[in-house]
């Protein structure tokens, strides 16, 4: 009888310990404008999944919810949220003197939702900001989050948190001091223009408050450290994660049959959410193809350019090679097939952080070619798993594409691409780094209180 009582005592104690462990699981709320649209949304979803698979309870809070995923919460009052978006665009439109040229290259965060009253916010241990622009959060709203006392981590998917109003600096250094004279405003702005005013508001927002900033690339960390806004903030680099169980090599022939790409040609793949986005550099790819066709005429008949992304127009009119516009695809299995169908993936962007597309292609064993800009050379190891071309150099871009397609050991490149992704960008590797950030932020908060 006594032995039975001891058994039940230990059993109850074990149940108690398990309950304590469950209750102490860290709860993370990832805040992003969209659930699925855009590279930041994709990265935020992958991070949520990686955390949940590695002992952390993570949820997302979004304005634009597109699925029935119960781990993703939607902001209430959708009409009001749309009005926030429209009002900010109108204010920017006015500052642009009613020009649409840079309408979606600028954010001022003058309006947004107060998420501190939501149950998802109240139950979270850590608030993890992701891409929160276009009326999702205002600067005042972010200050309310900071004033709540909850630790805040902010993943920078571009330079906006460190500048006045722009997401891409393209060599502008004004954000390192005061902003002003903004290149995106009419006639180059003025010393005390919108960029100057918003940068000052960001500095006020962060006054006497600390955020753990995370950049997806070492390049962006280096740029962010120069910012007048983030001078006293913690900044470190953690790459985006990818699920290597989904993005992995498959049989190339079968993949081409499934996505209807030619079996007897070399396939160059270009991917962009908007094909015509000048920053993604399709015009450099067009010129590089012109150059390869002129120097290697045999490629005209054995090379195919596949373009994945949204946009109008007949791309066959501008390439010397056979082409196929695959349109906009959001089915993950089909996207994996498209990557596996390619012989080389090219992204001649003019500015990038750490492109998900390069990571996805490499995970599928596809060597990549891109310019030496942003985080691209952190992903592509030159002449090991792809080719890093000199910035804006069409000749070197063509040289890299030709080398991958016709000169390099394709099997060796493929192996190295997969190895790089597995070692650096797997869910487990990235989740462990973020858990360290969360624990440190939580400890600092407790020490202050």
């Amino acid at each position: 009888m006594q032995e039975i009582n001891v058994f039940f005592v230990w059993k109850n104690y074990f149940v108690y310990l398990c309950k304590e462990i469950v209750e102490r699981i860290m709860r993370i709320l990832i805040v992003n404008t969209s659930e699925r649209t855009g590279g930041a949304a994709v990265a935020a979803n992958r991070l949520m999944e990686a955390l949940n698979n590695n002992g952390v309870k993570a949820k997302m809070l979004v304005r634009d919810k597109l699925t029935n995923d119960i781990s993703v919460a939607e902001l209430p009052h959708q009409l009001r949220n749309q009005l926030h978006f429209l009002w900010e665009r109108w204010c920017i439109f006015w500052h642009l003197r009613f020009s649409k040229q840079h309408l979606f290259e600028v954010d001022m965060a003058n309006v947004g939702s107060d998420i501190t009253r939501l149950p998802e916010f109240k139950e979270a241990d850590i608030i993890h900001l992701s891409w929160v622009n276009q009326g999702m959060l205002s600067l005042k709203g972010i200050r309310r989050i900071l004033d709540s006392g909850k630790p805040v981590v902010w993943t920078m998917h571009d330079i906006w948190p460190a500048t006045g109003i722009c997401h891409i600096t393209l060599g502008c250094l004004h954000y390192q001091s005061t902003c002003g004279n903004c290149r995106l405003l009419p006639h180059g702005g003025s010393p005390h223009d919108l960029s100057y005013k918003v940068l000052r508001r960001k500095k006020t927002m962060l006054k006497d408050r600390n955020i753990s900033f995370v950049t997806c690339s070492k390049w962006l960390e280096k740029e962010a450290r120069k910012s007048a806004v983030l001078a006293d903030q913690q900044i470190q680099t953690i790459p985006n994660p990818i699920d290597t169980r989904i993005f992995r090599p498959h049989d190339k022939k079968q993949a081409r049959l499934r996505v209807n790409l030619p079996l007897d040609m070399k396939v160059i793949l270009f991917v962009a959410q908007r094909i015509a986005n000048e920053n993604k550099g399709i015009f450099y790819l067009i010129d590089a193809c012109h150059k390869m066709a002129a120097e290697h005429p045999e490629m005209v008949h054995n090379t195919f350019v596949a373009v994945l992304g949204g946009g109008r127009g007949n791309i066959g009119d501008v390439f010397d090679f056979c082409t196929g516009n695959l349109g906009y695809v959001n089915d993950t299995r089909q996207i994996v097939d498209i990557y596996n169908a390619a012989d080389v993936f090219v992204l001649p962007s003019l500015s990038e952080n750490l492109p998900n597309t390069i990571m996805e292609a490499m995970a599928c064993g596809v060597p990549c070619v891109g310019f030496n800009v942003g985080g691209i050379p952190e992903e592509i190891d030159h002449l090991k798993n792809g080719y890093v071309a000199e910035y804006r150099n069409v000749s070197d871009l063509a040289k890299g594409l030709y080398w991958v397609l016709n000169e390099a050991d394709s099997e060796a490149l493929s192996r190295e691409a997969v190895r790089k992704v597995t070692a650096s960008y797997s869910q487990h590797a990235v989740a462990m780094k973020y858990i360290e950030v969360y624990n440190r932020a939580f400890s600092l908060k407790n020490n202050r209180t």
Side-chain angles (χ1 to χ4, degrees):
M1 189 71 177
Q2 187 175 1
E3 290 179 358
I4 295 175
N5 288 337
V6 171
F7 170 77
F8 279 107
V9 168
W10 277 106
K11 179 182 177 183
N12 290 335
Y13 182 63
F14 178 73
V15 171
Y16 168 77
L17 286 177
C18 289
K19 183 180 178 183
E20 285 290 298
I21 292 170
V22 169
E23 288 178 350
R24 290 176 184 175
I25 290 176
M26 195 172 292
R27 293 161 295 187
I28 310 298
L29 182 64
I30 301 173
V31 185
N32 198 78
T33 301
S34 174
E35 180 185 7
R36 295 287 182 183
T37 305
V42 171
N45 265 279
R46 290 176 179 172
L47 177 59
M48 178 180 69
E49 182 181 1
L51 293 171
N52 284 323
N53 289 340
N54 285 276
V56 174
K57 187 176 181 181
K59 289 184 177 180
M60 277 182 68
L61 175 66
V62 301
R63 184 192 68 195
D64 305 330
K65 183 172 167 64
L66 302 173
T67 74
N68 295 320
D69 190 341
I70 60 173
S71 60
V72 180
E74 185 178 31
L75 280 180
H77 312 297
Q78 283 302 298
L79 178 59
R80 185 172 65 188
N81 298 334
Q82 289 303 312
L83 290 176
H84 287 164
F85 167 75
L86 293 172
W87 176 246
E88 186 191 28
R89 287 310 106 188
W90 167 255
C91 293
I92 292 170
F93 193 41
W94 183 83
H95 279 284
L96 294 175
R97 298 184 186 176
F98 308 107
S99 168
K100 296 181 181 179
Q101 185 177 1
H102 301 300
L103 186 57
F104 289 94
E105 298 175 49
V106 170
D107 275 291
M108 56 191 294
N110 62 325
V111 64
S113 298
D114 179 6
I115 69 171
T116 61
R117 301 177 182 179
L118 300 179
E120 293 84 6
F121 181 91
K122 293 177 180 178
E123 72 180 16
D125 297 309
I126 304 280
I127 306 303
H128 188 146
L129 304 182
S130 186
W131 200 87
V132 293
N133 297 114
Q134 296 190 358
M136 176 70 182
L137 295 181
S138 66
L139 298 183
K140 288 183 179 178
I142 296 173
R143 179 69 185 206
R144 288 193 192 100
I145 294 170
L146 296 173
D147 288 343
S148 74
K150 290 183 182 287
V152 177
V153 175
W154 193 343
T155 294
M156 294 175 59
H157 295 282
D158 56 42
I159 196 71
W160 184 85
T163 68
I165 58 177
C166 70
H167 292 269
I168 299 173
T169 59
L170 291 179
C172 176
L173 305 179
H174 294 168
Y175 77 98
Q176 298 179 13
S177 53
T178 60
C179 271
N181 297 307
C182 182
R183 63 182 176 83
L184 298 174
L185 297 176
H187 309 299
S190 64
H192 292 164
D193 60 20
L194 180 65
S195 67
Y196 169 84
K197 293 174 182 176
V198 175
L199 185 133
R200 291 191 64 183
R201 291 171 195 155
K202 288 182 179 179
K203 293 176 72 173
T204 300
M205 173 189 76
L206 291 175
K207 186 178 180 181
D208 301 323
R209 295 291 185 271
N210 291 300
I211 294 178
S212 298
F213 283 94
V214 175
T215 61
C216 301
S217 68
K218 294 176 183 177
W219 164 81
L220 186 57
E221 178 185 346
K222 182 179 178 182
E223 297 300 301
R225 288 188 181 279
K226 302 173 186 176
S227 166
V229 176
L230 306 186
D232 300 319
Q233 300 297 320
Q234 302 176 57
I235 308 172
Q236 71 178 82
T237 298
I238 302 176
N240 296 327
I242 188 169
D243 191 341
T244 52
R245 298 168 301 178
I246 297 173
F247 288 89
R248 59 188 180 87
H250 294 288
D251 182 83
K252 191 177 295 295
K253 179 180 178 180
Q254 294 301 317
R256 290 190 180 186
L257 288 172
R258 285 192 290 268
V259 296
N260 197 29
L261 287 176
L263 300 177
D264 57 347
M265 303 180 81
K266 298 281 189 178
V267 175
I268 299 171
L269 177 63
F270 172 86
V271 177
Q273 186 176 351
R274 289 189 302 111
I275 295 171
N277 182 348
E278 290 187 15
N279 184 60
K280 295 300 179 182
I282 192 170
F283 299 108
Y284 286 89
L285 174 59
I286 293 168
D287 289 344
C289 288
H290 288 328
K291 187 170 184 61
M292 285 191 291
E295 295 178 354
H296 309 281
E298 72 282 0
M299 291 185 69
V300 174
H301 304 292
N302 65 17
T303 307
F304 188 93
V305 179
V307 176
L308 175 63
R312 298 178 180 178
N314 185 1
I315 60 171
D317 295 338
V318 293
F319 280 99
D320 292 304
F321 305 142
C322 296
T323 59
N325 191 339
L326 304 177
Y328 184 81
V329 176
N330 57 13
D331 181 81
T332 302
R333 287 179 295 182
Q334 188 176 356
I335 292 171
V336 171
D337 277 336
I338 291 170
Y339 281 124
N340 272 279
D343 293 291
V344 62
F345 174 74
V346 58
L347 187 65
S349 291
L350 305 184
S351 178
E352 282 289 354
N353 186 5
L354 196 78
N356 289 325
T357 50
I358 288 180
M359 192 183 301
E360 290 165 356
M362 289 174 61
C364 294
V366 181
C368 298
V369 176
F371 283 139
N372 187 5
V373 65
I376 288 177
E378 296 174 34
E379 291 181 292
I380 303 175
D381 298 319
H382 187 54
L383 302 181
K384 290 184 178 180
N385 52 40
Y387 191 98
V388 180
E390 184 180 337
Y391 187 53
R392 292 179 183 259
N393 188 322
V394 169
S395 296
D396 202 26
L397 184 67
K399 180 181 177 181
L401 287 168
Y402 185 82
W403 178 78
V404 170
L405 290 173
N406 299 290
E407 296 177 341
D409 183 337
S410 58
E411 291 185 4
L413 290 179
S414 180
R415 286 195 302 270
E416 284 299 313
V418 174
R419 186 200 61 77
K420 176 66 176 286
V421 171
T422 303
S424 303
Y425 310 129
S426 69
Q427 282 192 346
H428 179 74
V430 173
M432 290 300 103
K433 291 180 181 179
Y434 266 111
I435 289 171
E436 288 181 15
V437 173
Y438 297 148
N439 285 329
R440 186 164 59 249
F442 201 73
S443 298
L444 287 173
K445 178 250 183 183
N446 289 336
N447 290 337
R448 291 191 187 111
T449 56

